[in-house]
Amino acid sequence: MPAISLMRYGLALFTIVLLVSGFTSSEGNETNEKHLSSPKTITVTPSVRHQQFEGWGGSLCWWAHIMGSYSPEKVDSICNWITHPTEGLNMNLFRFNIGGGDAPGHNHMRTDGGDMPGYKASATSAYDWKSDAAQRKILQQLIASRIANTGKNDIQIVAFSNSPPWWMTVSGCVAGSVNGNTTNLKPEMFDDFADYLTEVTKYYHDSLGITFDHLEPFNEPYSTWWTANKVNGQEGCYFSQPDQERMIRELYRSLQQKNMLQYCKIAVMDANSIDEAYPGLLKYKAAGDILPLIDRIDIHSYFGNQRREVRNFAHENKIKLWQSESGPLNVGGSNEHQLMVVAQRIVTDIQEMGCTAWLDWQLANDHSPLWGMLVGKYNHPEKPVEKGPSFYLRAQFSRYLKQNYYIIATSSANALAAISPDEKEIVLIVVNSEIKKQNYSIDLSQIEYKNPVSHIVTSIQHNQQVFLKSNTLNASGHILSVSALPLSVNTIIFHK
């Protein structure tokens, strides 16, 4: 998760202008035709197939800890916006935070949902299964909404921990160790922590009918910013490389002893950076016994460039790979620029890393249109929630590059393509991060298609307005000409 406070991104919400049937006549004057660059050619090659995509999603903490207490009607609307396949974000992958819960008397944690409760108040306390009711409510409604909207339950859930409970930590604080660079889990508590995580997972499965497909024992474990008693802090825990490996062994042993491996596997390590993750994975392999215990690699793509190395590692060792968290952390620049950086990152991650899933950090947020697809005002008495600009940008990907589609080859670093399992539909998504229009010539010589071709575009324009347009195009022979608006994501759909 982002180490810096998301509150600094509490910018005014973008004005959303939706022109479904087309732009106003003034739009053509906004970007003078003389600024158009020469056409760029994009070739799509369906015969070159890569990974089969599992879906889209994000983390439930911390927004669900807040919004889960809203009225049933608002909770229902929020979850429909997230899960609906054509009117929402078509999301089916979620990270559920198993909170540790901070020590009594600690009042330094962030107030936008980051003060996550635990399930045991102390080492001698009984489990409190009423704890964390708001996040649980959102999770239950997401499942119900997805089933209602699609007629099936294709949701996958990974339960993850940011910190052990306070009484298991060395510092006595779930915000981290004293200096941030030492393991904050007590040496004698590794098996206790594994038992805690598996007990919560088992309860959700056995008593609530909610299956956590994967369990992740730590989050951003190499990061050294997790420090005790941090003002406006959040749960976090540094784990050294040997201690990560010890924790994986203990967690696997606990899952095995409780006969849970049939429905819950281990995912690791949710490193903050791709370039932190890769050397850590190499050390897991060198340990000899760790990789057989891991079912999936989860990586955050805020920073780093070793995507192809991670891809090759996962492929060679036959381990699944997700991009499990990302966003505009430390990107800087205008709001529009930051949103487009993340849009391009989606293309780069899926193309180069070969991940089978792409997840945002928080799906909703307090005030920030950069970090939340849905934007709320937590302190407002009426608890409003609106679709932010990133909702429309993300929908350009998640509504059309659907679950189980195969990623196929394209010739461009800013274009992502996929084909449906029945081979009757091809989706091409083109990101134009330039501040001017860009013409593209789509080479269709390897595609069977019929006119007209669907074209949906979301553009972040000046004055912080979002324009949404849906129209049809006609290819001429094996060439489709597409004019991409400035700062836009273009989705082009071909039918056989």
Side-chain angles (χ1 to χ4, degrees):
M1 72 189 62
I4 58 177
S5 172
L6 300 184
M7 293 298 290
R8 71 179 64 180
Y9 293 105
L11 308 174
L13 179 63
F14 286 49
T15 302
I16 310 297
V17 179
L18 303 178
L19 302 176
V20 178
S21 60
F23 295 112
T24 62
S25 58
S26 62
E27 183 276 325
N29 297 323
E30 291 175 354
T31 305
N32 196 297
E33 293 298 325
K34 69 180 181 180
H35 296 301
L36 285 172
S37 57
S38 333
K40 295 181 179 180
T41 299
I42 298 175
T43 301
V44 181
T45 310
S47 60
V48 179
R49 295 192 183 184
H50 301 297
Q51 69 271 30
Q52 188 171 24
F53 205 64
E54 295 181 70
W56 307 86
S59 170
L60 302 192
C61 74
W62 303 298
W63 65 273
H65 182 39
I66 299 292
M67 293 187 179
S69 62
Y70 288 3
S71 69
E73 293 77 18
K74 285 188 177 179
V75 168
D76 185 61
S77 292
I78 290 167
C79 293
N80 277 320
W81 285 344
I82 293 170
T83 62
H84 199 285
T86 59
E87 299 173 14
L89 291 171
N90 188 33
M91 289 184 169
N92 65 314
L93 310 176
F94 302 105
R95 298 174 72 213
F96 182 89
N97 181 216
I98 297 179
D102 208 4
H106 281 217
N107 298 304
H108 59 88
M109 302 299 276
R110 59 190 305 147
T111 59
D112 61 343
D115 55 338
M116 293 297 295
Y119 291 88
K120 285 191 71 168
S122 69
T124 57
S125 299
Y127 280 92
D128 178 9
W129 298 123
K130 294 181 179 179
S131 182
D132 201 12
Q135 186 186 194
R136 183 166 56 252
K137 175 61 178 175
I138 290 289
L139 180 60
Q140 290 172 320
Q141 188 57 53
L142 285 169
I143 296 170
S145 295
R146 184 66 178 176
I147 294 172
N149 291 329
T150 66
K152 60 183 178 181
N153 183 3
D154 62 347
I155 281 182
Q156 295 184 54
I157 309 162
V158 52
F160 74 104
S161 168
N162 290 319
S163 170
W166 69 271
W167 42 273
M168 294 187 189
T169 66
V170 175
S171 68
C173 177
V174 296
S177 59
V178 174
N179 296 316
N181 59 359
T182 57
T183 301
N184 201 32
L185 176 60
K186 291 178 180 178
E188 70 274 17
M189 287 284 187
F190 278 69
D191 57 342
D192 298 87
F193 184 39
D195 183 67
Y196 175 80
L197 293 176
T198 53
E199 279 300 296
V200 175
T201 299
K202 191 173 187 297
Y203 173 80
Y204 272 74
H205 180 268
D206 294 353
S207 299
L208 300 179
I210 297 175
T211 298
F212 298 152
D213 307 275
H214 289 84
L215 187 54
E216 163 64 275
F218 30 70
N219 178 78
E220 298 185 352
Y222 297 110
S223 302
T224 58
W225 46 68
W226 309 126
T227 55
N229 302 305
K230 190 173 185 178
V231 177
N232 199 33
Q234 61 195 62
E235 290 192 353
C237 185
Y238 177 91
F239 277 84
S240 68
Q241 185 75 31
D243 284 341
Q244 288 181 44
E245 294 163 14
R246 181 185 174 190
M247 189 65 231
I248 291 168
R249 294 184 187 104
E250 290 289 353
L251 183 59
Y252 188 89
R253 187 176 297 114
S254 185
L255 288 166
Q256 189 175 49
Q257 289 174 348
K258 297 177 184 180
N259 197 29
M260 297 170 63
L261 287 169
Q262 58 186 318
Y263 64 84
C264 184
K265 305 292 193 298
I266 295 176
V268 288
M269 83 265 311
D270 275 319
N272 175 265
S273 162
I274 298 168
D275 292 354
E276 283 181 338
Y278 181 58
L281 292 170
L282 294 177
K283 291 175 182 177
Y284 283 173
K285 185 170 185 176
D289 65 328
I290 296 298
L291 292 190
L293 311 182
I294 297 170
D295 186 68
R296 193 179 68 221
I297 298 165
D298 286 5
I299 287 180
H300 302 178
S301 68
Y302 292 113
F303 308 103
N305 300 299
Q306 294 180 295
R307 290 176 174 85
R308 289 186 171 88
E309 290 86 344
V310 169
R311 176 182 192 150
N312 292 338
F313 182 93
H315 179 75
E316 291 167 5
N317 292 283
K318 297 180 173 58
I319 303 176
K320 290 176 284 188
L321 175 63
W322 277 16
Q323 187 297 112
S324 56
E325 183 178 316
S326 198
L329 182 62
N330 290 351
V331 170
S334 68
N335 292 351
E336 296 90 342
H337 171 71
Q338 294 184 63
L339 291 169
M340 294 308 300
V341 164
V342 175
Q344 176 59 49
R345 190 182 297 164
I346 294 173
V347 175
T348 305
D349 286 346
I350 295 175
Q351 274 193 350
E352 296 185 9
M353 195 156 63
C355 50
T356 61
W358 204 94
L359 284 75
D360 282 277
W361 168 217
Q362 297 199 78
L363 299 179
N365 196 264
D366 184 22
H367 286 88
S368 173
L370 298 179
W371 286 96
M373 314 296 106
L374 306 176
V375 183
K377 296 179 181 179
Y378 291 172
N379 294 323
H380 194 286
E382 296 181 4
K383 308 300 182 187
V385 185
E386 298 178 282
K387 298 173 184 177
S390 53
F391 176 95
Y392 300 98
L393 286 172
R394 197 68 73 254
Q396 290 283 149
F397 294 89
S398 59
R399 286 183 188 174
Y400 307 106
L401 201 171
K402 301 172 187 175
Q403 291 76 9
N404 299 318
Y405 277 36
Y406 290 91
I407 305 301
I408 57 178
T410 72
S411 61
S412 176
N414 68 317
L416 183 64
I419 189 169
S420 62
D422 62 7
E423 302 185 355
K424 293 182 178 179
E425 181 175 278
I426 288 178
V427 176
L428 175 65
I429 303 170
V430 181
V431 175
N432 178 24
S433 298
E434 301 294 326
I435 58 173
K436 60 183 178 181
K437 282 186 179 180
Q438 176 63 57
N439 282 341
Y440 292 94
S441 292
I442 314 299
D443 181 355
L444 307 179
S445 59
Q446 301 180 61
I447 295 178
E448 290 185 49
Y449 70 94
K450 57 185 178 182
N451 283 320
V453 174
S454 298
H455 178 212
I456 307 99
V457 55
T458 295
S459 175
I460 306 296
Q461 298 278 303
H462 62 75
N463 297 325
Q464 299 181 338
Q465 293 179 326
V466 171
F467 288 90
L468 173 65
K469 177 183 180 182
S470 178
N471 65 346
T472 57
L473 303 172
N474 284 289
S476 177
H478 291 303
I479 295 295
L480 176 69
S481 296
V482 177
S483 181
L485 291 169
L487 303 175
S488 67
V489 179
N490 300 261
T491 305
I492 304 152
I493 304 172
F494 304 92
H495 293 283
K496 189 173 180 179

